[in-house]
Amino acid sequence: EHAEIQSVFDFFQSIDDRFSTYKHTSEISQLNRGELNLENVSDDMLEILTLADTTRLETDGFFDIRTPEGLLDPSGIVKGWAVRNAAQLIESMGHYDFWVEAGGDIQTSGFNSKGTPWRVGIRNPFAREEVVRVIAPRGKGVATSGTYARGKHIYDPHAARPVTSPYVSITVIGSDVYEADRYATAAFAMGEKGLQFLESTPNLEAYAIDS
């Protein structure tokens, strides 16, 4: 059991080593410095870049991993993708009742130790210890995007500046955590049109908190 848990942590560590824009030695940093080109990247990197481009097209360009400086920052898609892959890894080991979370991106499966469905609390952005809404995702994925955790880190690619949004956080429930993560990022970047976009996209539900 311990070895299985360790293998999941090792997986997350390998993703961080590859995709962290804060690590000088990461693959994404090498790509941004021009030391690697697209012909030499790993399969994981190629997959993320392809998924990011698909998401960019599906969201009218509001999801864009290219920063205003022209660098690649795939953090708005990697986390959900990694959590989904970790969940698949846990399932492949024969486990069906689990909860995987990385930085607020959550994938649940089955039931908790009490035999009841997992429940996810949505925090009050203005009082982090307070939960304002509780949801039972029942195997779906949950991700929250907003300004409250890390300041204004989400850019409007069309205006090339931090998003001005009436929302402080948007929580999205998608068919899995990867879907929830990418659409939460895109919707937040859309500002006030974000909820409308989520409402009109099949298989998504959302809960937004405004200022």
Side-chain angles (χ1 to χ4, degrees), residues 84-95:
R84 180 180 70 177
N85 287 4
Q88 289 169 348
L89 181 62
I90 294 165
E91 241 168 37
S92 73
M93 297 169 184
H95 301 291

Side-chain angles (χ1 to χ4, degrees), residues 10-208:
D10 290 346
F11 166 72
F12 277 123
Q13 186 63 58
S14 73
I15 295 301
D16 192 53
D17 290 345
R18 178 164 287 160
F19 289 101
S20 172
T21 54
Y22 299 102
K23 291 188 174 174
H24 188 75
T25 52
S26 71
E27 188 176 0
I28 195 76
S29 294
Q30 291 178 53
L31 195 58
N32 279 327
R33 288 196 301 269
E35 292 162 17
L36 270 181
N37 57 33
L38 290 174
E39 287 74 55
N40 312 112
V41 297
S42 65
D43 291 348
D44 280 350
M45 183 64 71
L46 201 56
E47 184 179 348
I48 282 293
L49 296 177
T50 306
L51 292 171
D53 206 51
T54 302
T55 306
R56 181 180 60 81
L57 296 170
E58 287 172 357
T59 59
D60 293 333
F62 277 99
F63 181 97
D64 197 337
I65 65 168
R66 207 165 271 288
T67 69
E69 300 78 41
L71 301 173
L72 296 169
D73 180 2
S75 51
I77 201 168
V78 164
K79 201 166 45 164
W81 172 85
V83 173
R84 180 180 70 177
N85 287 4
Q88 289 169 348
L89 181 62
I90 294 165
E91 241 168 37
S92 73
M93 297 169 184
H95 301 291
Y96 304 104
D97 298 312
F98 59 82
W99 159 302
V100 190
E101 177 189 1
D105 285 10
I106 298 160
Q107 182 67 53
T108 65
S109 178
F111 301 92
N112 63 23
S113 58
K114 298 189 187 84
T116 56
W118 294 104
R119 286 147 61 86
V120 175
I122 298 173
R123 287 179 191 273
N124 175 354
F126 306 101
R128 294 298 307 278
E129 60 290 342
E130 186 188 332
V131 170
V132 293
R133 180 69 71 220
V134 175
I135 55 176
R138 295 183 183 273
K140 291 183 167 19
V142 183
T144 298
S145 194
T147 53
Y148 69 92
R150 288 194 293 144
K152 297 209 168 191
H153 65 283
I154 298 172
Y155 278 80
D156 174 350
H158 298 303
R161 59 180 160 74
V163 172
T164 46
S165 171
Y167 306 114
V168 185
S169 78
I170 298 178
T171 299
V172 175
I173 302 128
S175 55
D176 63 38
V177 64
Y178 161 72
E179 297 292 338
D181 188 31
R182 69 194 188 115
Y183 283 123
T185 306
F188 200 86
M190 291 176 187
E192 58 189 30
K193 297 194 192 86
L195 275 192
Q196 208 177 322
F197 166 77
L198 293 169
E199 193 66 31
S200 62
T201 307
N203 305 318
L204 297 178
E205 292 183 69
Y207 186 83

